[in-house]
Amino acid sequence: MMSNSDFVGQGFAFPMGLNHQGEIQMVSGSANVERSIQLIIGTAYGERPMRPDFGCGIHDLVFEVTSVELLSQIRVQVRSSLRRWETRADILNVNASFANDPSLVEISITYRIKGNYDPRNLLVPFYVIPQLEEQ
């Protein structure tokens, strides 16, 4: 029988480093899924030459007008990318909101690892170039 930790697997820690035994530091379990979510959101389409469709489309929105519509587009892009690329997690909710700084969008993701009923939250910052809405 496969355990939940076998299902989730393990991957390289980021930033890369060595553990106390001099081996490459790894992450496993929920930390591995969290790192994967951050990696998917932080990668722009076309950034990986051998897998140009990997990532998230929010990077095309950096210069858009800061508005409610922008937040909606970010939510849609993040949800779509995570559902496609992070199949080990059920994406329960994605929210985006402007922080006190108009150049910072806080992306809040609620998810749970499949086979586990423990919901988790992750906050990912996304920086935009604030444009005032044209009158």
Side-chain angles (χ1 to χ4, degrees), residues 19-38:
N19 64 17
H20 63 281
Q21 296 175 333
E23 300 168 335
I24 293 177
Q25 189 171 356
M26 305 293 280
V27 292
S28 60
S30 61
N32 189 24
V33 173
E34 182 176 310
R35 178 66 199 123
S36 175
I37 290 171
Q38 291 172 332

Side-chain angles (χ1 to χ4, degrees), residues 18-72:
L18 302 177
N19 64 17
H20 63 281
Q21 296 175 333
E23 300 168 335
I24 293 177
Q25 189 171 356
M26 305 293 280
V27 292
S28 60
S30 61
N32 189 24
V33 173
E34 182 176 310
R35 178 66 199 123
S36 175
I37 290 171
Q38 291 172 332
L39 183 68
I40 292 164
I41 294 172
T43 303
Y45 290 138
E47 190 174 328
R48 291 190 172 190
M50 300 303 282
R51 191 173 246 173
D53 56 339
F54 178 82
C56 185
I58 61 174
H59 305 279
D60 294 335
L61 304 173
V62 168
F63 297 105
E64 293 294 320
V65 173
T66 53
S67 64
V68 175
E69 289 82 14
L70 174 63
L71 296 176
S72 179

Side-chain angles (χ1 to χ4, degrees), residues 60-134:
D60 294 335
L61 304 173
V62 168
F63 297 105
E64 293 294 320
V65 173
T66 53
S67 64
V68 175
E69 289 82 14
L70 174 63
L71 296 176
S72 179
Q73 289 175 358
I74 289 172
R75 283 192 295 272
V76 167
Q77 290 286 340
V78 169
R79 182 184 308 274
S80 173
S81 293
L82 292 180
R83 286 191 171 157
R84 178 174 184 194
W85 294 108
E86 186 44 80
T87 57
R88 299 171 294 180
D90 291 321
I91 307 305
L92 305 175
N93 189 35
V94 175
N95 193 23
S97 60
F98 291 108
N100 293 335
D101 179 356
S103 65
L104 174 61
V105 176
E106 295 178 333
I107 303 170
S108 173
I109 301 148
T110 304
Y111 68 97
R112 74 172 163 246
I113 297 171
K114 290 186 177 179
N116 188 335
Y117 296 104
D118 180 25
R120 299 185 166 274
N121 295 307
L122 179 62
L123 186 65
V124 179
F126 178 66
Y127 294 93
V128 296
I129 307 299
Q131 303 288 323
L132 299 177
E133 187 146 354
E134 296 176 21

